[in-house]
Amino acid sequence: MTIATMGSRALAELSADERALKHYEVMLEIRAFEERVLEMRLAEQIAGSVHLCIGQEAGPVGTCSALRPDDSVYATYRGHGWAIAAGAPLEGLFAELLGRETGVNAGRGGSAYLSHAGSHFMGENSIVGAGVPIAVGAALAARFQDSERVALTAFGDGATNQGAVHEALNMAAAFKLPVIFLCENNMYSELTPIADMVGEPELYRRAAAYGMHARRVDGNDPEAVFEAVSRAAERARSGDGPTFIESLTYRLCGHYIGDAQTYRTLDDVERARANGPLVRMKSGLAARGIREGTLNTIETDVGRRVAAAAETALDAPLADIRTVMEHLYA
């Protein structure tokens, strides 16, 4: 597997400039993918509920670049970016959302339930916070198997108010399991500011009370996330237990497609957009001395790659409804 096809996995051996360029490339892929998905949903080519991660691209990219290829990743229903960063193929992801046979789950998962075992992206979950105890179970399995694998679970700020999440945090800390809890704090618990939902707005402090290492990072800086996850993975592999990382970011789109967003103003969004991860990343690369022509080439290549993947997926056959009862277990 080449670096061009592996998402952002396992970039620790690259130089800082090489890793930064790869971070930028995958972040662009995620943004372009999500923007095309929005177009497809509005055109009713995609059915069902869709949750986009526009504005949150840096977290998945910085995280997955710090993980090994066999580490497992569990995401929320806002998981397209996590799948791409983990290394899932663009064409297969588009096809899955479009209900095509060539989708990563043969059109059965759709937007909210897709997974890709080949890249150890173990899937999304539409129940808020439900991926957290699943990841703890995977970490427990890795312990029994004497494996160095680490499980990482990504979830939103609202999930920190779920009882099952706190049970999972406690178990992981008590047994020092090799799991990383990555909380994407995008400031809104669905349609409500998270600050209105908790007594302690610094969410990582709640995890620290369970006896695990916990910290807050700039989630719009992929290098900051990379550094935090790298340290967490090292602790997990050495037997020092779990880490909780609160990754501060901002969702530039609605909670779901069609969200009226009456809980925030357009000025709030535009201020965040001007300081968004892609804007910051491009400016930072220029400050490193990366030529504008190099960045333009990356942007053009990503645009063509995403467009080609979307068109190929649209041409694929729809999933055969006669097989709908296959691969179901109860």
Side-chain angles (χ1 to χ4, degrees), residues 27-231:
M27 287 165 62
L28 284 170
E29 279 189 351
I30 295 171
R31 177 68 62 89
F33 181 92
E34 295 289 65
E35 289 176 343
R36 187 60 192 273
V37 168
L38 174 59
E39 294 174 3
M40 289 173 163
R41 180 64 185 86
L42 294 177
E44 298 186 350
Q45 294 170 315
I46 293 174
S49 182
V50 176
H51 299 78
L52 304 176
C53 67
I54 294 174
Q56 299 183 202
E57 299 87 356
V61 172
T63 294
C64 290
S65 63
L67 297 176
R68 296 178 182 175
D70 63 341
D71 292 333
S72 55
V73 175
Y74 302 80
T76 71
Y77 46 77
R78 200 180 306 281
H80 306 160
W82 285 95
I84 293 170
L90 294 174
E91 180 184 326
L93 292 172
F94 273 125
E96 185 59 35
L97 271 63
L98 290 161
R100 278 10 189 214
E101 287 186 355
T102 55
V104 290
N105 307 119
R108 299 169 185 278
S111 174
Y113 296 102
L114 61 86
S115 62
H116 186 249
S119 60
H120 288 259
F121 175 70
M122 306 313 292
E124 305 168 306
N125 202 305
S126 274
I127 299 174
V128 174
V132 179
I134 295 172
V136 170
L140 182 62
R143 168 72 55 78
F144 281 130
Q145 294 166 349
D146 291 325
S147 167
E148 289 192 345
R149 291 196 313 272
V150 169
L152 182 136
T153 175
F155 49 93
D157 45 275
T160 61
N161 290 336
Q162 296 293 319
V165 170
H166 287 271
E167 292 179 18
L169 291 172
N170 181 65
M171 180 175 179
F175 289 91
K176 292 191 173 181
L177 297 178
V179 58
I180 302 170
F181 303 101
L182 195 291
C183 175
E184 296 181 284
N185 185 351
N186 63 17
M187 309 302 165
Y188 297 99
S189 180
E190 294 192 353
L191 313 183
T192 306
I194 185 61
D196 294 343
M197 302 295 292
V198 296
E200 172 52 80
E202 295 185 328
L203 303 180
Y204 75 99
R205 296 188 184 279
R206 303 169 77 183
Y210 287 109
M212 71 178 72
H213 184 81
R215 63 183 295 189
R216 174 183 270 193
V217 299
D218 180 356
N220 284 342
D221 179 353
E223 190 65 25
V225 178
F226 169 82
E227 184 273 334
V229 175
S230 294
R231 290 178 180 271

Side-chain angles (χ1 to χ4, degrees), residues 325-330:
M325 299 302 292
E326 296 179 7
H327 307 290
L328 295 178
Y329 301 89

